Amino acid sequence: MRGRLEKKRKGKAEVRPFRSLASAYREPRLIPVGLIALDAVVGGGIPLGKFVEFFGPSKGGKTALAYEVVRAFQQAGGLRRNKMDRRGRWTDAEHAFDMSVFERVGGDPALLDYDEKTDTVEEYFESAERWIEAYEHAAVPKIEVLDSVAMLGTTHEMEIEMDRRSLDRAGQIYRGFRRLAGRLARSSTTMLFVNQVRDRVGVYFGNPETTTGGRGPEFFSTLRLRLSQGCLKKGKRALIRVGNRIVGHRIVVRVDKNRSVPAEGQAVELEWHFLTGFSATAGTLRLLADHDLVAEKTRGSEDGVEIFEFGGKKITDEEVFIDEHPDLLKSLWSPYRPERDT
């Protein structure tokens, strides 16, 4: 018998020394979304091969941000290799997918599989497992999106009468997570869940808010983001206006859980425009001011919009300022991932 165990098999299990895997697990694999402020607070991007959850009230921009994430995954894989090349799958349980909006933010429908016939939790996890298995050996990053968890029932729930209730949906979702966790990591596939919030009945102390689908998404997710329409600064308007016309709204993204970096509780304010999607630079000046890299004037405009200064001069164009000062962006990474070089 050899003195050092290098490899041992027992059934389907495989035991290997960690030193052979250490280089792959030293840094989490991340896909940057392309929104500077969001990428900064989540530590660099969306984790690859993990569970991710976007949750929050209605009109919070959850589906819109999911469009941006899918676009980022598609672009991370480079040019399309062949007709069978796929970078993502969208399960549209809410039947709310808007192809025109997805294309406007830069998404490629040719690289996306679309499913609108899945109605139950069992069907979803079975079809998701088949899709992951079909593209498991593809070397490009892939993403599976479910919009949303709240719209999926169980097979038993669909077969019983309307006045009866089925309480096993959370258990089915929990089993689905356990079944797919290892396969996601091996196939470089991220599973993104869009979820809704509800108020628990009879809760008089603390936060009554909870998400649908039980505690499974909360426990298994590597990254959880809470999205809601609004602003970080009081007195600032959530709606974005050009003259008398509403062109978008502001969205607060708060990090509820992040296993990659210690960023729980951090929040950024993004801007969603109806015609162009999320602004890549929105919220960056606010984040720079929070880290004392730029100065904020105490007095703002009438609608509460902040005014920032750098070197005693007012910053008039956010995009131009960020392009001219890339060194400031490197400083944003230090509180979240000191070793990262942007």
Side-chain angles (χ1 to χ4, degrees), residues 22-23 30 35 43 54 73 98 114 118 135 177 181 183 191 213 218 220 224 258 274-275 295 311 314 333 338:
S23 60
L30 304 171
L35 310 179
F54 293 169
F73 270 73
D98 193 327
Y114 178 74
T118 299
Y135 299 99
F177 274 108
R183 176 155 285 181
M191 183 166 282
E218 179 181 352
F220 280 90
R224 297 184 78 227
N258 193 348
F274 299 140
L275 297 180
K314 178 182 176 182
W333 297 102

Side-chain angles (χ1 to χ4, degrees), residues 126-150:
E126 289 175 1
S127 62
E129 186 174 15
R130 289 195 301 268
W131 186 85
I132 294 171
E133 184 178 0
Y135 299 99
E136 186 172 4
H137 300 289
V140 296
K142 299 171 289 296
I143 185 168
E144 159 74 36
V145 181
L146 171 60
D147 187 14
S148 67
V149 178

Side-chain angles (χ1 to χ4, degrees), residues 10-272:
K10 185 177 181 181
K12 294 183 180 180
E14 180 178 336
V15 180
R16 287 185 291 173
F18 186 74
R19 64 173 179 273
S20 63
L21 305 173
S23 60
Y25 288 91
R26 192 179 305 276
E27 282 288 336
R29 296 174 294 173
L30 304 171
I31 303 297
V33 182
L35 310 179
I36 298 175
L38 178 64
D39 286 338
V41 297
V42 300
I46 303 299
L48 190 61
K50 305 294 183 180
F51 293 102
V52 178
E53 183 184 15
F54 293 169
F55 69 100
S58 61
K59 300 185 297 182
K62 301 181 293 295
T63 302
L65 187 58
Y67 291 152
E68 299 280 356
V69 173
V70 174
R71 182 262 309 155
F73 270 73
Q74 291 181 343
Q75 295 176 352
L79 298 176
R80 189 181 184 189
R81 304 183 179 186
N82 51 61
K83 293 183 179 180
M84 296 302 294
D85 189 3
R86 294 293 185 273
R87 310 286 171 81
R89 176 175 179 264
W90 190 288
T91 302
D92 192 15
E94 290 195 355
H95 303 279
F97 184 81
D98 193 327
M99 186 65 69
S100 62
V101 177
F102 179 65
E103 291 178 326
R104 284 202 297 269
V105 301
D108 186 358
L111 296 174
L112 183 69
D113 285 336
Y114 178 74
D115 176 19
E116 61 178 350
K117 296 183 179 180
T118 299
D119 297 321
T120 65
V121 176
E122 295 91 338
E123 290 177 357
Y124 171 72
F125 281 105
E126 289 175 1
S127 62
E129 186 174 15
R130 289 195 301 268
W131 186 85
I132 294 171
E133 184 178 0
Y135 299 99
E136 186 172 4
H137 300 289
V140 296
K142 299 171 289 296
I143 185 168
E144 159 74 36
V145 181
L146 171 60
D147 187 14
S148 67
V149 178
M151 294 300 294
L152 293 183
T154 63
T155 303
H156 177 66
E157 184 179 358
M158 296 299 179
E159 295 174 352
I160 63 177
E161 300 176 0
M162 292 293 292
D163 58 345
R164 298 174 61 191
R165 299 183 64 186
S166 175
L167 301 178
D168 62 345
R169 183 176 65 159
Q172 294 285 1
I173 293 177
Y174 202 91
R175 283 190 288 270
F177 274 108
R178 293 200 306 267
R179 186 172 179 175
L180 292 181
R183 176 155 285 181
L184 289 178
R186 292 189 297 268
S187 62
S188 299
T189 303
T190 295
M191 183 166 282
L192 171 60
F193 287 89
V194 178
N195 210 344
Q196 301 175 6
V197 295
R198 300 287 188 268
D199 286 339
R200 290 175 290 183
V201 179
V203 177
Y204 302 102
F205 302 96
N207 185 13
E209 186 179 272
T210 185
T211 54
T212 61
R215 305 295 295 275
E218 179 181 352
F219 290 148
F220 280 90
S221 294
T222 297
L223 176 65
R224 297 184 78 227
L225 300 179
R226 188 187 189 280
L227 288 80
S228 59
Q229 182 175 334
C231 304
L232 291 175
K233 182 179 179 181
K234 293 183 179 180
K236 188 177 179 180
R237 296 178 181 176
L239 297 178
I240 303 173
R241 297 177 180 268
V242 175
N244 295 326
R245 186 165 54 95
I246 299 176
V247 297
H249 56 261
R250 296 179 175 89
I251 296 173
V252 174
V253 181
R254 191 173 301 277
V255 181
D256 184 76
K257 175 185 177 182
N258 193 348
R259 290 178 179 172
S260 301
V261 293
E264 286 82 357
Q266 295 289 336
V268 293
E269 181 183 305
L270 305 179
E271 292 183 0
W272 163 258

